[in-house]
Amino acid sequence: MFGLIGHSTSFAAARNLARSLGFEEYAEGDLDMWCSAPPQLVERISVTSPTGKRIEGAYIDSVFVPEMLSRFKTAKRKVLNAMELAQKTGIDITALGGFTSIIFEDFKLLREQQVRATTLDWTRFTTGNTHTAWVLCRQVEENAPKLGIDLHLAKVAVVGATGDIGSAVCRWLSQRTGVQELLLVARRPQPLADLQQELGGGRILPLEEALSEADVVVWVASLAQASSIDPSRLPRPCLMVDGGYPKNLDTRAAGDGIHVLKGGIVEFGSDIGWQMMEAAEMARPQRQMFACFAEAMLLEFEGLHTNFSWGRNNITLEKMDLIGAASLRHGFQALGLDVPAAVPS
Ligand code: NDP
């Protein structure tokens, strides 16, 4: 069985969801009441691959909302309690969605393996970041040519380059895609220098300078709020793949040669018949989902009950190949731009 641990995008969205599910006392409750609420197994799901294999899963809402990020103990407890519920439910492989994998890493929850009577078994959990990184790279490779951008001649900025997903994207784009130049953006200088050395290239730039040169931008910074950018400083055409959760990029950036694509989202080949993506602002919530969630499904389809994506900066190209091939085999497609193909000049 596969599992997905998620949360609402805001307290207001969580209250609306609670109302729609008939949890009236939660819908009326204040943030303090939500802070002490336990995780909920909200939905059970079945998915059938084009190969004919059928898998069963469950969606667990951690009852965390981003407004709790500053409440260290609460955020920590929400993630651990949701993991405990997944394990006690007998789920073999569960993806940590949204902020939960970042809370797990940043708050060092590896040290908190004991949750009441349950010893958490880390092999039952995955961040889903390998599939997310693979999907983001595929979105770049499939969509840049639609805008007339030749990636071999293109500068690609990765915002959040030193992160788990960002560093994997950089490795793939430099070694597999062969982009002309990578522009590396993050705040801390030392991890940037280490990444540059590992890649054997790439230019470290502040965000504003990278944006003024980049033909393609992959946004994978862990930002609690979207960045607003000045579109007048961007080259045209420009492809912006927004892989952050919540979205890293103000939607006002789009328009007039600037194409913003929702990053790290995949579409399954048929309707799944679930409710959980309705609240996630997907264009086709019956088929679309976060790539990290899809990773848990892929691991279940493939019988790989292991923490496939775990820790930080461990994602290899071989693992991206493996999960990418599984993604295609089981009927997932990376979300693309809805634009007519560019005529080569
Ligand atoms: P990490 O914490 O590993 O990395 C975050 C990166 O962002 C680091 O390079 C960090 O470097 C950089 N960063 C943080 N703040 C800023 C800033 N203000 N300006 C520039 N760079 C910044 O995160 P992950 O790689 O695990 O995740 C990245 C994003 O992807 C998150 O938003 C996450 O929610 C999203 N995600 C999406 C998924 C999907 O399915 N679509 C699945 C999983 C994650 P530094 O601290 O030095 O600035």
Side-chain angles (χ1 to χ4, degrees):
M1 184 163 43
F2 69 92
L4 314 168
I5 292 179
H7 59 77
S8 297
T9 49
S10 68
F11 185 37
R15 286 172 126 179
N16 287 339
L17 180 67
R19 187 163 289 117
S20 73
L21 293 171
F23 292 101
E24 220 27 71
E25 73 284 12
Y26 278 63
E28 298 302 321
D30 61 11
L31 193 62
D32 285 335
M33 184 258 203
W34 277 71
C35 283
S36 55
Q40 301 289 332
L41 195 161
V42 177
E43 197 169 15
R44 292 196 180 264
I45 309 148
S46 301
V47 189
T48 306
S49 156
T51 64
K53 183 155 186 184
R54 188 178 173 84
I55 56 170
E56 309 292 328
Y59 176 68
I60 291 173
D61 194 316
S62 56
V63 196
F64 166 85
V65 290
E67 286 84 345
M68 295 171 192
L69 265 179
S70 56
R71 303 186 185 203
F72 173 78
K73 282 188 181 160
T74 301
K76 195 168 103 169
R77 201 176 58 240
K78 291 283 176 192
V79 175
L80 290 169
N81 287 348
M83 293 173 82
E84 182 204 27
L85 177 58
Q87 188 165 315
K88 283 171 88 173
T89 306
I91 299 173
D92 301 291
I93 185 70
T94 298
L96 302 178
F99 277 119
T100 62
S101 73
I102 292 191
I103 291 170
F104 189 92
E105 281 303 323
D106 290 358
F107 296 177
K108 308 209 178 337
L109 299 194
L110 213 47
R111 296 188 302 217
E112 318 253 349
Q113 200 164 3
Q114 196 64 32
V115 184
R116 290 172 287 274
T118 306
T119 307
L120 291 176
D121 173 2
W122 304 134
T123 62
R124 289 171 179 262
F125 299 94
T126 183
T127 62
N129 283 352
T130 311
H131 189 226
T132 302
W134 180 82
V135 168
L136 287 164
C137 293
R138 196 160 173 94
Q139 288 181 299
V140 170
E141 291 170 350
E142 290 184 342
N143 292 284
K146 289 187 191 169
L147 302 177
I149 299 171
D150 179 348
L151 287 171
H152 297 104
L153 306 174
K155 294 181 189 177
V156 181
V158 180
V159 183
T162 52
D164 193 38
I165 300 171
S167 60
V169 166
C170 288
R171 267 174 232 128
W172 183 283
L173 292 179
S174 66
Q175 292 181 46
R176 291 290 173 83
T177 316
V179 299
Q180 190 201 41
E181 190 176 29
L182 277 177
L183 309 177
L184 311 175
V185 181
R187 292 165 305 178
R188 286 167 300 147
Q190 191 55 50
L192 278 167
D194 293 344
L195 177 69
Q196 190 183 42
Q197 193 179 18
E198 181 205 320
L199 296 171
R203 196 151 41 104
I204 298 168
L205 284 180
L207 178 61
E208 289 302 319
E209 287 179 41
L211 292 182
S212 68
E213 291 192 36
D215 305 295
V216 177
V217 187
V218 182
W219 293 82
V220 276
S222 48
L223 304 173
Q225 284 186 334
S227 305
S228 65
I229 58 169
D230 176 3
S232 68
R233 299 201 54 202
L234 303 173
R236 263 77 167 169
C238 181
L239 171 63
M240 300 246 173
V241 184
D242 190 359
Y245 179 87
K247 290 296 143 203
N248 281 185
L249 196 55
D250 192 318
T251 44
R252 283 173 296 184
D256 187 23
I258 301 164
H259 301 264
V260 179
L261 174 60
K262 272 188 166 185
I265 307 289
V266 285
E267 184 164 317
F268 190 60
S270 56
D271 284 0
I272 293 180
W274 60 5
Q275 298 302 313
M276 49 165 284
M277 281 298 148
E278 301 287 344
E281 293 172 15
M282 298 284 169
R284 303 178 76 187
Q286 277 305 318
R287 295 177 178 214
Q288 293 175 357
M289 68 195 82
F290 300 108
C292 59
F293 283 176
E295 182 171 302
M297 295 183 186
L298 293 170
L299 295 176
E300 179 69 12
F301 275 131
E302 296 286 312
L304 288 169
H305 292 156
T306 174
N307 48 353
F308 190 77
S309 308
W310 203 239
R312 280 293 182 265
N313 295 25
N314 295 327
I315 300 175
T316 61
L317 297 186
E318 292 69 29
K319 282 187 138 181
M320 290 171 75
D321 281 332
L322 189 154
I323 206 74
S327 186
L328 297 173
R329 186 160 49 247
H330 295 294
F332 291 91
Q333 195 173 2
L335 205 67
L337 282 176
D338 197 11
V339 292
V343 180
S345 51

